[in-house]
Amino acid sequence: MTAAAPTLADVRAWSATVSVKQAAAALGCSRSQLYELIKRDEAPVKTLAFGRRRVVITASLLAVLEAA
């Protein structure tokens, strides 16, 4: 059984940045799909790089979810 996707209220309560895995769950796609979009610079959300690690800016994620 898979976990339910986070609600918009859940996402609003998240910290300023979240993992790609969390953002992918909110967007309804897989982590690997979102990483591929980030790699091709086609992601619908803004990200920050910390070395090899990427995080998604929650405000950007909210903007995408609220526009849908």
Side-chain angles (χ1 to χ4, degrees):
M1 182 166 107
T2 59
T7 65
L8 193 53
D10 292 335
V11 177
R12 285 187 181 119
W14 288 353
S15 61
T17 61
V18 295
S19 69
V20 172
K21 182 178 178 180
Q22 279 182 284
L27 292 168
C29 66
S30 72
R31 180 182 62 87
S32 60
Q33 286 174 315
L34 186 52
Y35 268 117
E36 185 60 33
L37 290 172
I38 292 167
K39 180 180 171 184
R40 293 193 321 239
D41 202 24
E42 297 175 4
V45 292
K46 294 181 182 178
T47 64
L48 297 172
F50 294 102
R52 292 182 52 191
R53 183 171 186 253
R54 283 268 175 188
V55 293
V56 175
I57 299 171
T58 305
S60 172
L61 177 60
L62 280 169
V64 170
L65 294 174
E66 289 171 341

